[in-house]
Amino acid sequence: MYNFVETHFILLNDAVRVAAYERAIAAIVKPGDVVLDLGTGTGVMGLLACRAGASRVYSIEAGGMVEGVRNIVRANGFEDRIVCLYGDSKDLELPERVDVAITDQAGPFGIGGRLFGSLNDAHRRLLKPRARMIPSHIDLSIGLAELPQGWATVKFWDERPLGFDMSAMCALARNVAYEVKFSPEQLLSAPGCVLSLDLAARSEPAMGGSTTLVAGRPGTLHGLFAFFSAELAPAVSISNSPLGRDSINRRAWFLPVERAIALEAGDSAAIMVQLLPTEEIVMWQVAVTGVDGALKEEFTHSTFKSTLVAREDLQKMRPEYMPRLSASGEVERATLELCDGTRSLRQIVQEIHIRFPKNFRSRDEVAAAVSRVVVKKTH
Ligand SMILES: C[S@@+](CC[C@H](N)C(=O)[O-])C[C@H]1O[C@@H](n2cnc3c(N)ncnc32)[C@H](O)[C@@H]1O
């Protein structure tokens, strides 16, 4: 179960990450700057921005953690400079555009955490045209991995768990990006950078890159390791590279290949990666060539292939589908119509209970259903 106290304990205890952000913010934020702390969590980046001289910080948080931030901001005497805003940045307006945007949402392979969707929107509406970004660039890198335990996670589905044929899951399992903490002896090659993303620019809907990797030792190729490096400021970077001595505490990705392949030292693999960054979908293509120049194996995988959609839901995406409201849809519509600024929550609950007596077992159930709509859809 997700626990935000534990998550932020881990984030703030990552001394390498925190020190790098502290240095970068001191270098990039100038006295008088207006700053956006996008996904503020504990508010730490906004607090550091104030320490660097920011005149105003907009600290935006989509989670309930925003209440914790408000207390932290008050306890540190920054209420006059930090404005805490609750909600998804895409739904919020700011009274002014900002000079600097700070964020740390890079997942194992740099993309993730809704980062690129949020940034594209922020460029359109919240940032000044030449706003400085922390991080400013993210490089995505890939290498060859020998990871029997990662491979076992895929093979598991082919091995009749509890005596049942679950091999249908194997096709999905081969297309999953697994979060793994690698150690250097699990790597078969040096990494190669496949993509460099400039966060000062809006991201394209689809992007791709390639690299050729050479096995540095004999071994069994089970898949790829994938990680990121982010430039926070000139000469200040963070990375979750399995090779870095100064890596931050964040897992990398293991991207499996369809069949394990025995490699000789000097065998090479042409890697092609394609990304839909806002959808957080990755495609990886691997073509392995022996030292004699002959093609050994070629595979194509994509996390899209492990995204299961029930056929019932697929039906509903067809353009000719004629939607009709479900029972809970009817309740939602009625609730929204009653939210016209003239009724209290108590009156709305009462009215919904009268109109839909068969939908609920108790008044508390009505209140819970109404609150779900009201919290999300009203202001
Ligand atoms: C990985 S935490 C980082 C917290 C903090 N900035 C730090 O570096 O310690 C990311 C936080 O961003 C929030 N978040 C992500 N995208 C957001 C968005 N578009 N609008 C508001 N909050 C967002 C998440 O709820 C989460 O609390």
Side-chain angles (χ1 to χ4, degrees):
M1 189 178 149
Y2 172 77
N3 182 302
F4 60 78
V5 177
E6 195 182 4
T7 301
H8 291 289
F9 172 83
I10 293 168
L11 283 166
L12 288 188
N13 264 282
D14 186 342
V16 176
R17 179 189 91 101
V18 172
Y21 267 95
E22 191 174 13
R23 268 186 289 136
I25 289 170
I28 299 292
V29 175
K30 304 287 171 232
D33 274 344
V34 179
V35 173
L36 170 64
D37 180 1
L38 178 48
T40 191
T42 48
V44 60
M45 302 302 172
L47 294 168
L48 289 171
C50 282
R51 206 181 261 171
S55 61
R56 184 162 305 280
V57 176
Y58 296 99
S59 291
I60 298 185
E61 176 51 56
M65 181 65 197
V66 72
E67 278 315 316
V69 183
R70 288 180 175 133
N71 291 333
I72 291 170
V73 166
R74 204 174 311 117
N76 288 279
F78 286 120
E79 313 93 298
D80 56 335
R81 284 201 272 163
I82 300 184
V83 180
C84 296
L85 298 170
Y86 170 57
D88 192 294
S89 59
K90 288 200 229 161
D91 301 327
L92 295 172
E93 311 270 340
L94 297 184
E96 59 192 323
R97 289 186 176 240
V98 306
D99 303 290
V100 182
I102 311 172
T103 187
D104 180 12
Q105 293 170 43
F109 193 35
I111 62 167
R114 298 174 288 155
L115 173 63
F116 290 92
S118 305
L119 281 185
N120 279 351
D121 170 70
H123 279 300
R124 257 193 311 271
R125 303 184 306 110
L126 309 177
L127 312 187
K128 287 185 181 167
R130 296 171 63 79
R132 286 154 271 150
M133 309 294 296
I134 304 177
S136 58
H137 293 87
I138 298 187
D139 286 348
L140 313 189
S141 297
I142 294 264
L144 304 177
E146 181 171 52
L147 194 72
Q149 60 272 46
W151 185 247
T153 311
V154 178
K155 288 292 291 171
F156 168 83
W157 299 104
D158 244 350
E159 289 163 356
R160 300 188 64 85
L162 294 147
F164 295 115
D165 182 347
M166 294 200 181
S167 55
M169 291 291 287
C170 217
L172 305 176
R174 280 190 221 107
N175 290 287
V176 170
Y178 296 90
E179 290 192 20
V180 169
K181 191 97 194 156
F182 284 93
S183 49
E185 63 278 7
Q186 292 164 330
L187 312 181
L188 283 168
S189 75
C193 179
V194 286
L195 212 50
S196 288
L197 306 176
D198 179 358
L199 270 54
R202 287 187 206 165
S203 60
E204 300 294 326
M207 296 185 276
S210 57
T211 186
T212 299
L213 305 169
V214 178
R217 63 170 176 86
T220 305
L221 177 69
H222 294 118
L224 309 175
F225 63 99
F227 64 95
F228 75 92
S229 311
E231 183 180 300
L232 305 183
V236 186
S237 301
I238 55 168
S239 175
N240 62 340
S241 165
L243 290 163
R245 267 180 296 126
D246 279 344
S247 290
I248 61 166
N249 181 14
R250 199 162 300 172
R251 290 167 182 225
W253 265 353
F254 169 62
L255 305 172
V257 289
E258 194 162 330
R259 280 183 293 282
I261 313 168
L263 293 188
E264 302 294 330
D267 283 357
S268 65
I271 310 291
M272 222 255 286
V273 170
Q274 279 189 334
L275 290 182
L276 302 182
T278 54
E279 313 302 318
E280 297 170 20
I281 287 177
V282 182
M283 188 273 277
W284 59 105
Q285 215 166 49
V286 183
V288 179
T289 306
V291 272
D292 57 359
L295 184 71
K296 280 188 166 182
E297 294 272 12
E298 200 169 9
F299 306 120
T300 302
H301 299 255
S302 166
T303 52
F304 183 69
K305 293 186 191 162
S306 59
T307 318
L308 272 185
V309 183
R311 69 185 66 183
E312 290 84 347
D313 289 342
L314 268 182
Q315 276 296 93
K316 293 181 182 172
M317 293 173 200
R318 291 168 51 227
E320 55 275 22
Y321 173 67
M322 293 191 199
R324 190 179 298 149
L325 281 184
S326 63
S328 66
E330 295 282 1
V331 169
E332 216 167 282
R333 174 168 64 183
T335 305
L336 289 170
E337 282 168 359
L338 292 168
C339 293
D340 58 1
T342 69
R343 292 173 176 85
S344 68
L345 190 59
R346 184 182 300 111
Q347 289 170 318
I348 295 173
V349 170
Q350 213 165 11
E351 182 63 28
I352 293 290
H353 207 180
I354 294 167
R355 287 198 203 174
F356 300 94
K358 294 200 183 117
N359 290 42
F360 302 99
R361 277 171 303 183
S362 67
R363 196 176 180 286
D364 285 350
E365 265 190 21
V366 185
V370 169
S371 293
R372 274 196 293 276
V373 177
V374 168
V375 164
K376 282 222 167 82
K377 302 281 163 71
T378 65
H379 56 81

